[in-house]
Amino acid sequence: DTNSSLPMLRNEYLELRIDASTGGVRSINRHGKRGNLFSQLLAIRSSETYSQHGYPRNRSRYSQMQIDNIEALGSSKASGTIRTTGQLVEGVPDSALPSEQRRKSNPNILAQFEQTVTLTRGRKIIEFDVTLRLEKSLAGQPWNNYACSRIAWPNEDAMLFRSENEIRQPVEQEKFTAPNFVEINCRDFKLSLLPGGLPFHRRSDQRMLDTLLIVAGETETRFQFAVGIDVATSMQAAVDYLWPIYWVHDPELAMLQGGWIFHLNCRNVIVTNTQLLFHESGMISGCRLRIQETEGQPGELTINSPFNLTSARRINLLGNRIAELQLKQNRAFCKYSEYQFFQVELCW
């Protein structure tokens, strides 16, 4: 909806507004609830060292976004996308000048940006696709001089968690790595930053997080990431994001019946590896599932199988049997402890 005061995307869960002067995300709101969940900007951080009372100190500053163009792309009943283009500049942008004149008159342009934001029907995830082309190369220590995506949330007392070896751990450092997710727990909602493999993050303020995109020596210019709102588990959302949904319209496909392989009833466990088992005749006789608990929550896992199971057992990573599992109507039941990494063998 580009007819309102601010360009907007909306689905049945969320309403997203784009800032018409910067091109970043100005606000995210849930229907029926007040309060902005987060805002987002692109920026370049630069630092310089100075002396104070005989001791070295660092002074940092961030560039500003100034927009050239904003347009709606590919809006449909399934999803909507807004694309913004512009520059990252030092100092305060002169919004009174036309975009072409700003580019010619401003010698402090640091980068050209293009950002698309997509909101899809039925999903609580906002997807970002960013292209940054630097006008000036970055130099210096990477943790202090970088191009980034910045998100800000309303609560200073929010608790942060990150992925570490695919499990959820509290964030205790200012600078940290988290390639799968960064979870921000506020008072009445949860944000899940899904960097899609971008590993480096910096908490630049009590309410701000920088996800590093470009540092000195980086040659990539395009980056994709997402933010989930109140998703059940951040690790599962991160796995789902790495295998995106594709919309295909084909009347012939509508006549086909769907199918499934295995279903796990616990969202806090993920399958990290699958290995098929073969009979001497060459036919598939079963499989091994390598499973990891990610949230620190022990429980009992139910594995639903589409095949007629004849046996199910816990095995170690060498393939040796640990214990037989209970079977009932092609379902196997397996207890697990917090953060456990275990393997199950199913035969049919």
Side-chain angles (χ1 to χ4, degrees), residues 167-181:
I167 61 175
R168 179 176 176 268
Q169 292 291 316
V171 173
E172 299 175 350
Q173 308 91 350
E174 175 191 352
K175 310 165 190 174
F176 59 94
T177 59
N180 299 119
F181 69 84

Side-chain angles (χ1 to χ4, degrees), residues 24-28 36-41 150-154 191:
V25 174
R26 180 162 182 170
S27 64
I28 302 285
N36 179 27
L37 303 183
F38 78 92
S39 303
Q40 180 268 347
L41 287 171
R150 310 189 77 196
I151 64 171
W153 56 91
L191 304 176

Side-chain angles (χ1 to χ4, degrees), residues 184-230:
I184 304 164
N185 280 340
C186 296
R187 294 191 187 102
D188 63 342
F189 64 91
K190 179 176 71 175
L191 304 176
S192 298
L193 172 63
L194 311 175
L198 296 169
F200 302 111
H201 312 271
R202 178 173 188 157
R203 191 169 186 177
S204 55
D205 189 84
Q206 283 295 102
R207 301 185 300 107
M208 292 185 181
L209 181 72
D210 297 354
T211 297
L212 278 61
L213 303 179
I214 301 177
V215 298
E218 177 62 68
T219 58
E220 184 58 60
T221 59
R222 184 182 178 188
F223 308 91
Q224 294 172 302
F225 51 92
V227 178
I229 311 296
D230 291 332

Side-chain angles (χ1 to χ4, degrees), residues 38-80:
F38 78 92
S39 303
Q40 180 268 347
L41 287 171
L42 300 174
I44 292 178
R45 173 182 171 134
S46 57
S47 300
E48 58 184 7
T49 303
Y50 67 99
S51 179
Q52 184 179 40
H53 306 301
Y55 294 95
R57 296 285 189 269
N58 282 325
R59 181 189 294 115
S60 299
R61 61 180 182 273
Y62 286 88
S63 65
Q64 303 291 320
M65 290 179 77
Q66 68 176 18
I67 192 173
D68 281 346
N69 186 50
I70 183 168
E71 59 181 326
L73 298 177
S75 295
S76 66
K77 293 182 179 180
S79 64

